[in-house]
Amino acid sequence: DARASMQSVSVFSPALHDGHRRRFQLLQDFGAALAGGDQLRLVFQPRVDLPTRRCVGAEVLLRWQHPTLGNISPAEFIPIVEHSPHARTMTAFVIDTALRQMALWRSQGLAPPLSINISAANLEEDDFAAQVGLMLMRHAIPPEQIELEITESAIMRDTDQALKHLNSLAGMGIRLAMDDFGTGYSSLAYLQRLPMNVVKIDQSFVRDIGEGAREQRLVHSMISLSKDLGFRVVAEGVETAAVADMLAGMECDEAQGYFFARPLETAAFEAWLHQARADTATEVAA
Ligand code: C2E
Ligand code: MG
Ligand code: MG
Ligand code: MG
C-alpha cells in the first residue's frame, strides 16, 4: 500500500542513512579501483620466529588510497567488499599482485614466504583452488611458498563446501592458517579436522597478556593446546618487548606486530629484509 511504499522510499533518505550511502559509494568506487589504476596496493608485515627472532615470512595486507576520500581503512572497506560480488575479484587481485612481487623477489634472491588473506566468498567459488593453482603456475611460485589465512567465521559459514576447498588447497601443498583465532565459534577439536598448519592467535588476546595472570593463562593454554594438536602458533599484534618475551616463554612459535615491524611498503620491506639479513650475518660472525 501507499504507506509501505513511502517507507521503502525513505530508506534512501540521505539524512537518515549516511552510513548506507557511504557504504554504497565505497563499494561502487572499489569496483572502479579494481578495474585499474593505482589506488590499490599491497603492504607487507614481517613475521618472525620467536626463539631466533628471524624473519620467516610476511603477511600481505591490502591498502586503498581513494581519489577523494584518502586512505580507507581495511577495517572499513574489507567487510563491505567481502559481502559483495567484488570479493572474488579482490582476492584474485591480491593473490596475483602478491605472486608477481614474489617472483620478482625470488629473482633477486629474496624469498620470504607470503601469507595472504582470503574471504568466505572464495570458499564458495567452485573453482577457487584451481584458480590459485593457475596463478601459482603463471608466476612459477612453488605452492609451499604461500599460506592462505582464513578466519574462523569464514569456515563456519558453509563447513562442507569450505572443507572441500581447504582439502584441495592443502593437497596442492599450500599452507593454511586459521586467522583471528579465539574470536569465532570454532573449537580446537573442530580445527583438528581441518587441514590447517597454523593458528594465529588474535591480537585482542595477545594485547592483554601484560595485564595479569588470568590473561596470561588464557593465551598460554591457547598456545599449548594448539601445539599439542600439531599446529604452528603465531601471536598477532605484539607491540612491546615485554609481550614478545612472555610469548617466547610460553613457547609460542612465531609472532607478528608493531614491536617487530609495521606493515611496510614494498621498498621499506625490502630494506627491512636486507637489514635483518645483515644483522643475522653479524651474529653468525660474532
Ligand atoms: P588480519 O588479517 O588479522 O591482519 C592483521 C591486522 O592487524 C592488520 O590490520 C595489521 O596492520 C594489524 N596489526 C599488525 N600488527 C599490529 C600491532 O602490533 N598492533 C595493532 N593494533 N595492529 C596490528 P589491517 O591491515 O588494517 O587489516 C585489517 C583486516 O582486514 C585484516 O586482519 C584482514 O582481516 C583484512 N584484510 C587486510 N588485507 C586483506 C586482503 O588482502 N584480503 C582480505 N580478504 N582481507 C584483508
Ligand atoms: Mg590475516
Ligand atoms: Mg588476524
Ligand atoms: Mg583480523
Side-chain angles (χ1 to χ4, degrees):
D1 66 342
R3 197 187 297 159
S5 67
M6 276 182 68
Q7 274 171 351
S8 65
V9 166
S10 76
V11 166
F12 300 98
S13 142
L16 283 171
H17 298 285
D18 279 351
H20 282 108
R21 277 163 53 97
R22 180 170 164 98
R23 284 199 290 277
F24 184 75
Q25 192 199 341
L26 287 182
L27 188 54
Q28 224 172 11
D29 294 349
F30 191 82
L34 272 176
D38 56 1
Q39 296 178 38
L40 299 175
R41 69 184 195 284
L42 305 181
V43 291
F44 304 88
Q45 185 177 40
R47 194 159 113 186
V48 303
D49 177 64
L50 268 176
T52 62
R53 303 284 163 112
R54 288 195 191 167
C55 177
V56 287
E59 179 170 3
V60 174
L61 295 158
L62 184 58
R63 293 292 178 263
W64 182 18
Q65 173 80 39
H66 186 284
T68 55
L69 301 172
N71 266 316
I72 313 283
S73 159
E76 181 175 16
F77 77 81
I78 298 275
I80 300 173
V81 175
E82 278 185 332
H83 292 96
S84 84
H86 292 315
R88 296 164 186 212
T89 322
M90 173 176 75
T91 299
F93 169 83
V94 173
I95 297 181
D96 195 58
T97 309
L99 293 182
R100 180 172 308 118
Q101 181 62 67
M102 210 172 169
L104 187 64
W105 280 333
R106 285 165 65 82
S107 74
Q108 299 165 349
L110 287 170
L114 294 182
S115 220
I116 302 169
N117 295 284
I118 66 167
S119 304
N122 299 123
L123 298 178
E124 287 162 7
E125 291 173 57
D126 289 332
D127 57 346
F128 181 65
Q131 280 180 44
V132 175
L134 280 174
M135 287 191 272
L136 285 166
M137 268 203 289
R138 194 185 314 137
H139 296 288
I141 305 288
E144 297 75 21
Q145 290 296 303
I146 67 162
E147 185 175 272
L148 297 179
E149 300 191 3
I150 307 135
T151 61
E152 286 183 84
S153 50
I155 291 170
M156 301 309 285
R157 214 155 99 170
D158 178 351
T159 48
D160 286 346
Q161 173 82 345
L163 187 58
K164 202 187 81 189
H165 280 301
L166 295 179
N167 283 329
S168 317
L169 292 163
M172 289 160 58
I174 293 170
R175 295 169 55 83
L176 299 172
M178 168 70 60
D179 203 356
D180 300 351
F181 183 71
T183 60
Y185 299 98
S186 69
S187 63
L188 281 166
Y190 173 71
L191 246 192
Q192 203 180 11
R193 295 174 27 216
L194 302 173
M196 295 283 168
N197 307 91
V198 170
V199 166
K200 297 188 82 172
I201 300 180
D202 192 68
Q203 50 186 310
S204 56
F205 301 96
V206 173
R207 214 174 27 218
D208 289 346
I209 65 173
E211 284 176 17
R214 276 171 63 92
E215 289 80 2
Q216 280 168 35
R217 274 199 303 272
L218 178 62
V219 169
H220 198 172
S221 326
M222 286 166 99
I223 294 170
S224 344
L225 269 168
S226 305
K227 289 184 68 158
D228 285 349
L229 293 174
F231 300 111
R232 215 169 151 73
V233 186
V234 181
E236 300 192 280
V238 176
E239 294 186 351
T240 65
V243 167
D245 291 342
M246 260 185 251
L247 290 164
M250 295 175 184
E251 297 188 331
C252 182
D253 299 309
E254 297 175 18
Q256 201 179 315
Y258 296 168
F259 171 64
F260 299 104
R262 293 200 167 239
L264 302 168
E265 302 289 337
T266 310
F269 179 60
E270 288 168 0
W272 189 92
L273 280 178
H274 284 298
Q275 185 58 50
R277 197 184 262 189
D279 291 348
T280 307
T282 317
E283 259 169 52
V284 171

